[in-house]
Amino acid sequence: MAELIEWLPDGTPYSPRYGDRYRSELGGLAQSREVFLHGCGLPAAWAGLPQWRMLETGFGLGLNFLVTWQAWKADPARPRLLHFVSTEAFPASAADMLRAAAAHPELLPLATQLQAQCWGLLPGVHRLVFEEGRVLLSLCIGDTQAVLREQQFEADSVYLDGFSPSKNPDIWNIHTLKAVARCCRRGTRIASWTIARSVLDGLSQCGFTVRKVPGQPPKRDNLQGEFDPRWEPRKAVSTPHFTPTAASSCVVIGAGLAGASVAASLARRGWQVEVLDSQTAPAGGASGLPAGVLVPHISPDDSLLSRLSRCGVRATWQQAEALLQAGTDWQACGVLERRLDGSAGVPADWPDAGRDWSDIASEAQLTQAGLSTKDGPACWHRRAGWIKPARLVLALLRQPGIRWRGGIHAARLQRDLETGQWQVLDLQGRCLVRASMVVLAAGHASRLLMEGGLPLQAIRGQMSWGLHDGLPTQAGFPPFVVNGSGSFIPAVPTDEGLAWFAGATFERDQDSTEIRPSNQQANLARLQALLPTAAQTLTPIFQSNAARAWAGVRCAAPDRLPLVGQVEASAWPGLWVSTAMGSRGLSFAVLCGELLAARLHGEPLPVEQRLAQALSPQRFRA
């Protein structure tokens, strides 16, 4: 359940948990601008820079973020990217955030956008995206001290906010302030409204130089300072691998979901990206799947895969909303997941924020699928649906700064030791292109381009499909996607008309795309177990060999998690990889593109550090 907020007669939000107001006596907007924004020297301090990284302790109702976003938006000298990382132990509801902003009409357009993305805020990191990916809010849900251990970046400005030290001492104690200091560089500016002696002393002990500055009446003083320790601090943060300029160039090999996502993330950061692929059109490999299912993974213990998939689904969902046409390119219809293993799926202690994502399917939803509670447990995924992967690939590649080249057969990579640049060579040893950085995103073919290889396994999949023309009026199809052992997408518009899709097979160590009749029958068998009513309608089509088919080859690592990051800095500097998406490319590719870009630039990560580490290519190296 979202944090309880009481609204006082004068419209001020009040926290019963802490017995304190969310706003100062000055009013929230004045405090945000004068104490925090101007207290950190903004917007002047970020002028002309490629990015600016903010850290806030205590997101509250989001007012400081909205004010900072507004200042960024109004500043012609704003940085290309604004990162805003904020911690919050007890997140308020999206409705309360919008109600709080209603007192400031100039912020309402931004607050409405914030409200639309504030759902499913389970413990962990949630990356919210605004301004076409140029304003990135990382909401870290949990205890501030704990969640900052899962972030490794250097903040340029810090807002120390939260309820009064006497009401909420944990967010101001020395351990939390040390966690903040670990996220600061020398010169990072801090600002706060509190001048409590314990806070001043704690900050000084952690390496900050602090001072009281005049406040606006009736507030006499505020706090400002800089991180400037007398010692040389030991840093556990990741450092940028590049300082990009307008001339920074990168080659991405592979124009599927993985490659297009990397290219888009780098282009948004000012890179000139050349995307090469052996196919004559983008999404010519596994990403050419006519329609795929976007759905989070769930498990009773909320496993690492489940948490990663939620981050990935959110990232893809954001891109689909921004770049694709609903109803034609994708549809947020929801997904009913049959738990054919008999497990409930969702954790027993699943909170309301989790139910924003997934819940036990209702009897009405089962009925719509031609099922009942006697058919076993099932889950309903609200933030799920179908997408045409190729449409997403094309939309990502259309972004400024990306050049696509098809029919290019990259056979080998070679590094010029004099210039430090990479050369991409063809079968005859001729140089196709040079760049300071290469990203391998060619699926299973990526292993052929790297000396020493990558631990990648080919996985063949065949999907069955057909048009609605000729089907009975009452076909028994549900109005949403159903998955479990296989999947069924009931209605997708195509150039030929409305189509259904069923499948797909999962064949390890198979790299042929030849259509196999046996796979068609296997898909029918899966459909009969998954949705008997729909299968009954389609059985004659399968039996008459009238069902169409599509086959592609996916790529997976031994642990079924993607590989994303720098391959090995010492042996192959400038060589990165984003591959091994397996059967969850729609869930992982966009997230992996952002994770790679964040690693490259020393930015806040879009996921917790331990989740990001689970995707590192280094995990398979001795």
Side-chain angles (χ1 to χ4, degrees):
M1 187 173 182
E3 179 71 348
L4 176 64
I5 294 176
E6 294 179 357
W7 294 86
L8 302 180
D10 64 356
T12 300
Y14 177 84
S15 170
R17 181 186 299 273
Y18 294 107
D20 203 355
R21 295 170 177 247
Y22 277 86
R23 297 173 183 159
S24 74
E25 64 271 25
L26 302 177
L29 196 58
Q31 176 174 289
S32 290
R33 285 179 176 155
E34 296 304 320
V35 176
F36 294 109
L37 186 74
H38 299 161
C40 284
L42 299 172
W46 66 34
L49 296 175
Q51 65 170 299
W52 196 259
R53 298 158 297 188
M54 311 283 305
L55 172 61
E56 177 188 45
T57 56
F59 186 72
L61 294 165
L63 192 58
N64 289 340
F65 167 67
L66 294 173
V67 165
T68 305
W69 178 7
Q70 183 191 49
W72 176 90
K73 195 175 177 69
D75 185 6
R78 61 182 174 263
R80 175 183 290 272
L81 249 67
L82 174 64
H83 275 284
F84 196 102
V85 179
S86 188
T87 69
E88 179 56 57
F90 304 102
S93 70
D96 278 331
M97 291 183 196
L98 188 62
R99 181 175 177 178
H104 315 293
E106 66 269 43
L107 295 180
L108 266 180
L110 305 184
T112 302
Q113 295 179 56
L114 174 63
Q115 180 204 28
Q117 294 196 42
C118 283
W119 48 265
L121 299 181
L122 287 163
V125 177
H126 301 268
R127 172 61 60 81
L128 312 187
V129 177
F130 308 94
E131 303 291 345
E132 299 180 332
R134 296 182 62 195
V135 174
L136 302 173
L137 169 62
S138 298
L139 267 180
C140 303
I141 305 302
D143 173 74
T144 294
Q145 182 185 342
V147 299
L148 289 184
R149 285 199 296 266
E150 290 292 333
Q151 278 287 339
Q152 293 190 1
F153 73 102
E154 289 184 342
D156 300 302
S157 302
V158 176
Y159 296 166
L160 296 175
D161 204 357
F163 295 109
S164 166
S166 63
K167 306 282 189 180
N168 183 20
D170 287 348
I171 205 170
W172 302 100
N173 68 30
I174 189 66
H175 304 292
T176 301
L177 297 179
K178 284 181 179 178
V180 170
R182 284 194 294 270
C183 292
C184 294
R185 58 170 173 78
R186 194 176 293 276
T188 295
R189 293 183 64 169
I190 61 169
S192 183
W193 53 268
T194 184
I195 55 169
R197 172 51 57 187
S198 61
V199 175
L200 295 173
D201 292 345
L203 288 169
S204 298
Q205 184 179 337
C206 293
F208 292 92
T209 59
V210 294
R211 58 191 174 276
K212 297 178 184 178
V213 296
Q216 287 185 319
K219 186 80 168 71
R220 185 164 58 181
D221 296 302
N222 293 316
L223 180 150
Q224 292 180 13
E226 298 84 28
F227 185 62
D228 189 21
R230 298 182 300 276
W231 59 91
E232 191 58 35
R234 291 193 306 170
K235 288 293 181 183
V237 302
S238 57
T239 56
H241 295 268
F242 281 88
T243 302
T245 67
S248 295
S249 62
C250 174
V251 167
V252 175
I253 301 178
L257 278 169
S261 297
V262 168
S265 290
L266 293 179
R268 281 193 292 270
R269 289 158 174 82
W271 288 75
Q272 298 299 307
V273 186
E274 198 158 8
V275 180
L276 311 180
D277 199 283
S278 60
Q279 303 291 328
T280 56
S287 296
L289 180 75
V293 180
L294 177 66
V295 61
H297 179 273
I298 55 170
S299 54
D301 61 348
D302 201 26
S303 66
L304 180 145
L305 174 60
S306 298
R307 287 175 282 142
L308 274 170
S309 78
R310 285 198 299 273
C311 294
V313 166
R314 187 188 286 272
T316 305
W317 188 283
Q318 290 161 345
Q319 290 299 301
E321 284 190 318
L323 301 176
L324 301 183
Q325 182 175 346
T328 301
D329 301 329
W330 82 299
Q331 187 66 53
C333 57
V335 172
L336 180 79
E337 179 184 347
R338 293 197 62 193
R339 303 292 295 181
L340 298 179
D341 62 357
S343 68
V346 298
D349 57 349
W350 207 222
D352 287 346
R355 299 181 198 283
D356 282 348
W357 288 95
S358 308
D359 204 351
I360 302 298
S362 69
E363 187 173 349
Q365 289 160 345
L366 290 169
T367 300
Q368 286 181 297
L371 302 168
S372 72
T373 54
K374 295 179 181 179
D375 294 308
C379 296
W380 174 251
H381 301 285
R382 290 181 173 83
R383 306 289 174 169
W386 59 262
I387 293 184
K388 296 178 181 177
R391 296 288 180 90
L392 181 56
V393 169
L394 290 172
L396 291 167
L397 292 178
R398 279 196 293 266
Q399 301 195 44
I402 300 174
R403 180 190 177 201
W404 143 258
R405 293 174 61 192
I408 304 295
H409 295 269
R412 188 163 59 89
L413 299 177
Q414 178 176 292
R415 188 165 179 266
D416 187 326
L417 297 180
E418 290 186 8
T419 65
Q421 286 198 318
W422 284 95
Q423 301 174 5
V424 181
L425 309 178
D426 65 11
L427 289 169
Q428 289 73 41
R430 295 172 298 197
C431 182
L432 299 169
V433 66
R434 299 170 182 264
S436 58
M437 175 175 163
V438 172
V439 180
L440 301 180
H444 190 244
S446 299
R447 66 186 178 87
L448 304 176
L449 290 165
M450 198 187 97
E451 185 179 345
L454 290 167
L456 302 177
Q457 181 183 42
I459 299 176
R460 181 184 182 279
Q462 183 169 312
M463 171 177 276
S464 306
W465 70 284
L467 298 175
H468 280 225
D469 288 349
L471 294 178
T473 305
Q474 300 297 326
F477 291 176
F480 41 71
V481 176
V482 179
N483 75 341
S485 177
S487 64
F488 183 69
I489 308 174
V492 175
T494 71
D495 292 341
E496 299 180 65
L498 206 60
W500 56 265
F501 294 88
T505 61
F506 192 90
E507 302 165 82
R508 293 183 174 88
D509 299 317
Q510 298 286 319
D511 58 6
S512 170
T513 57
E514 181 182 358
I515 300 302
R516 298 172 179 173
S518 61
N519 286 173
Q520 296 291 79
Q521 295 307 309
N523 284 337
L524 175 59
R526 285 189 179 87
L527 185 59
Q528 288 169 335
L530 185 69
L531 281 175
T533 304
Q536 185 176 5
T537 299
L538 297 176
T539 294
I541 295 174
F542 278 93
Q543 289 178 338
S544 64
N545 297 321
R548 306 189 197 186
W550 177 93
V553 179
R554 296 159 290 185
C555 165
D559 59 4
R560 298 293 179 262
L561 292 176
L563 291 162
V564 55
Q566 190 168 27
V567 175
E568 189 173 321
S570 57
W572 296 296
L575 182 60
W576 293 62
V577 64
S578 184
T579 189
M581 306 293 155
S583 57
R584 295 186 175 274
L586 280 169
S587 295
F588 284 137
V590 174
L591 175 68
C592 287
E594 280 296 288
L595 178 57
L596 184 148
R599 289 284 201 203
L600 184 65
H601 290 262
E603 297 174 4
L605 302 182
V607 296
E608 298 158 76
Q609 175 63 25
R610 55 184 165 173
L611 301 187
Q613 201 59 37
L615 306 184
S616 169
Q618 304 301 320
R619 69 187 190 269
F620 293 117
R621 308 196 72 83

